[in-house]
Amino acid sequence: MFCLSTYNIREEIYQCFDLIEVLFLEENIPFLYYLMSAIKGFNLWIFICGAFFIVTNFRNSKEIEFRPTITKALITIVFMVWSVLSFAEVSTFLYFDF
Amino acid sequence: MLFNSYIFVFLYLPLVLLGYYIINYFKQYKISNVFLVIMSLVFYGYFNHSYLLIICGSISINFLISKILQWNSPKVYIKKTVLVFGIFVNVAIIFYFKYYDFFLNNINMLFGKAFELKNNILPLGISFFTFQQISYLIDSYRGETGNYTFDEYAIFVSFFPQLIAGPIVLHNEVIPQFRSKKNRYIIPENFSKGMYLFSLGMFKKVLLADTFGKAATYGFGTIETLSSIEAWIVAWSYTFQLYFDFSGYCDMAIGIGYMFNIILPQNFNSPYKSTSITEFWSRWHMSLTRFLKTYIYIPLGGNRKGKIRTYINILIVYLVSGIWHGANWTFLMWGGGTRDLELLEPAV
């Protein structure tokens, strides 16, 4: 693992990160489509880099000074609808095992 | 019932909120408490109704013991005996369901015996509500609890947002908020903040944690055949799955709390921003760390009894934390290893 002796990544791992919604955006936005075709496993790297950026840079939700605004309402709606539409594939929480 | 399920989002949560605020509108505060306890038990029993017996029994026994502890008995040893008995009962319950098979397995291996394993199904959230009640018993012994009624105590233990996976709340954080009359009516700002946090948490769980979870599950299933780079991807995926899963859950729990005007304690504070192990544990599962510090580390003497005792106390806390997470030697090793890393920290 540490010496990085083998570099191949199988398709099944790439496919784990191919969310339908993201694929839809990529197919309809030319720039994203170009990136997706040019970089193998674009979604996988976006997810990993994006997550790394979020966990090291974003403020914790308790630190956010909340004031109800139109933007926050829109974010709430988008997150809620997107999540609800993806319910079919959800799993239980890891902390339920403790 | 899962927070991220249709039945919870479209039926259970709206029904409970509606019922709770309607009853409070008519100033029937006692009934609204009972309603919330019943609905919390419905939430819990939805996973497996046989669990209800365990949680109801646990709440009743602990409430009874706490009442005995609150009596002004002049004899300290009586109170001490009752407290030890109370803690023993709680530990015995959790031991039976969580550690009995682990214990027997080790006896069988060590002495070549063949004791039959129970294969108990672990009741959900037992580690959380047991710790919560132990903290309450200790506070009762110390005379730090108020004269709470049974319905208030039952809400403190069973309030559904924190019942299954924390945060481990203290009585003085939750019960006074339920007692406050102004919290019994909808406060639009709290409600909108609750909705915002709930949807943010759901997004983290459903879209981020579960996506990383797919890669982690696939990777752990084919671990022998992974290439180096795949092993790294799987390791990162599990790291992020764990983060967004727990962070998402905490946001959802705190969000639902806000919808009821109940502010639950912070449980997660961007732990991957930590620059040391000590800082990491002050940011990850903060309510568990607080419990271990307040109810184990400090009563053991903390850092007040010399260097060696401090190291031993830290080791005990980490071993308890390890075994709390699961009945396996790997968890104990993880607890011990974390302690070693923390001790090595000043040298690095």
Side-chain angles (χ1 to χ4, degrees):
Chain A
M1 180 176 177
F2 293 103
C3 61
L4 286 176
S5 54
T6 47
Y7 299 99
N8 62 304
I9 302 172
R10 61 196 91 171
E11 275 307 311
E12 287 88 340
I13 292 186
Y14 286 132
Q15 283 164 7
C16 294
F17 296 90
D18 287 342
L19 295 187
I20 303 165
E21 303 88 331
V22 179
L23 290 177
F24 175 80
L25 287 177
E26 285 168 348
E27 279 162 16
N28 289 284
I29 301 171
F31 177 65
L32 282 178
Y33 183 77
Y34 168 74
L35 282 177
M36 202 177 90
S37 344
I39 303 168
K40 176 89 171 143
F42 177 69
N43 290 346
L44 183 153
W45 301 116
I46 280 291
F47 258 93
I48 290 186
C49 297
F52 191 79
F53 183 77
I54 291 171
V55 302
T56 51
N57 287 285
F58 275 35
R59 273 188 302 169
N60 193 55
S61 47
K62 271 265 180 176
E63 291 169 351
I64 301 167
E65 203 177 308
F66 184 83
R67 246 177 278 116
T69 56
I70 297 291
T71 319
K72 290 242 166 64
L74 283 174
I75 292 172
T76 305
I77 291 166
V78 170
F79 280 3
M80 184 73 88
V81 171
W82 195 353
S83 307
V84 166
L85 290 175
S86 309
F87 269 0
E89 297 170 14
V90 296
S91 57
T92 58
F93 292 91
L94 292 174
Y95 263 72
F96 280 16
D97 297 332
F98 303 139
Chain B
M1 203 179 296
L2 289 168
F3 289 165
N4 49 333
S5 63
Y6 291 118
I7 190 163
F8 182 84
V9 174
F10 293 118
L11 185 69
Y12 179 84
L13 187 60
L15 203 72
V16 179
L17 282 166
L18 204 68
Y20 180 73
Y21 283 119
I22 287 176
I23 298 169
N24 280 317
Y25 178 78
F26 293 105
K27 299 190 190 325
Q28 301 297 320
Y29 306 126
K30 195 102 183 149
I31 296 174
S32 78
N33 283 353
V34 175
F35 172 77
L36 205 51
V37 171
I38 291 171
M39 292 311 283
S40 294
L41 292 176
V42 169
F43 172 83
Y44 189 73
Y46 187 82
F47 292 107
N48 182 342
H49 59 270
S50 58
Y51 293 160
L52 284 174
L53 206 64
I54 299 160
I55 193 168
C56 291
S58 174
I59 290 173
S60 309
I61 291 170
N62 278 293
F63 183 71
L64 201 71
I65 295 171
S66 74
K67 282 290 160 199
I68 299 170
L69 285 169
Q70 285 164 9
W71 275 341
N72 283 326
S73 166
K75 288 171 181 145
V76 180
Y77 75 90
I78 295 178
K79 280 178 87 170
K80 217 166 219 170
T81 312
V82 175
L83 175 68
V84 170
F85 172 74
I87 294 173
F88 174 79
V89 168
N90 282 292
V91 173
I93 293 171
I94 203 169
F95 177 85
Y96 178 76
F97 285 104
K98 198 167 175 177
Y99 304 109
Y100 188 78
D101 280 358
F102 172 64
F103 178 72
L104 275 193
N105 240 334
N106 283 295
I107 295 284
N108 287 345
M109 274 201 313
L110 210 59
F111 301 106
K113 300 279 180 194
F115 291 117
E116 206 177 318
L117 302 182
K118 289 265 181 201
N119 293 320
N120 288 324
I121 300 168
L122 184 69
L124 278 170
I126 190 165
S127 312
F128 291 91
F129 65 74
T130 304
F131 269 29
Q132 208 161 301
Q133 295 191 100
I134 288 175
S135 75
Y136 183 75
L137 290 185
I138 295 172
D139 285 353
S140 298
Y141 171 78
R142 291 170 176 167
E144 292 169 3
T145 49
N147 193 20
Y148 305 133
T149 57
F150 183 69
D151 54 286
E152 287 173 330
Y153 179 74
I155 278 194
F156 151 65
V157 179
S158 69
F159 185 44
F160 71 91
Q162 46 88 42
L163 177 59
I164 307 293
I168 300 168
V169 295
L170 303 178
H171 61 94
N172 52 14
E173 288 169 332
V174 172
I175 299 177
Q177 293 190 67
F178 275 108
R179 281 186 167 180
S180 166
K181 297 262 190 300
K182 69 174 170 53
N183 285 346
R184 296 286 180 157
Y185 305 95
I186 292 181
I187 299 173
E189 195 169 78
N190 279 351
F191 200 86
S192 54
K193 184 172 184 177
M195 288 283 285
Y196 175 72
L197 285 175
F198 183 74
S199 60
L200 187 69
M202 198 148 67
F203 182 81
K204 285 182 188 172
K205 164 66 183 159
V206 178
L207 272 310
L208 299 176
D210 284 353
T211 304
F212 283 114
K214 274 190 258 175
T217 308
Y218 176 80
F220 288 132
T222 55
I223 203 153
E224 293 90 358
T225 60
L226 293 179
S227 68
S228 301
I229 194 92
E230 284 174 341
W232 275 109
I233 291 170
V234 170
W236 278 108
S237 295
Y238 188 63
T239 305
F240 290 129
Q241 181 195 6
L242 198 56
Y243 181 97
F244 288 116
D245 192 281
F246 195 40
S247 173
Y249 176 86
C250 292
D251 283 349
M252 279 192 261
I254 291 170
I256 299 167
Y258 267 107
M259 291 183 208
F260 287 91
N261 298 318
I262 303 297
I263 298 167
L264 297 173
Q266 190 176 7
N267 208 21
F268 202 81
N269 184 15
S270 308
Y272 289 173
K273 288 179 190 167
S274 310
T275 51
S276 67
I277 294 285
T278 317
E279 190 189 350
F280 178 82
W281 284 114
S282 65
R283 288 169 171 265
W284 182 287
H285 208 173
M286 295 156 76
S287 61
L288 176 68
T289 309
R290 178 181 65 177
F291 175 90
L292 296 172
K293 187 181 168 192
T294 314
Y295 297 100
I296 297 180
Y297 180 69
I298 292 173
L300 283 172
N303 59 2
R304 304 184 305 273
K305 295 192 174 174
K307 254 186 176 165
I308 294 171
R309 270 297 294 274
T310 305
Y311 290 151
I312 293 170
N313 292 344
I314 294 173
L315 177 65
I316 292 170
V317 166
Y318 275 114
L319 290 180
V320 171
S321 171
I323 199 79
W324 180 89
H325 281 87
N328 206 322
W329 285 106
T330 49
F331 283 105
L332 273 168
M333 281 163 62
W334 166 73
T338 315
R339 196 280 312 234
D340 292 341
L341 284 175
E342 187 170 325
L343 294 182
L344 283 171
E345 219 170 68
V348 176

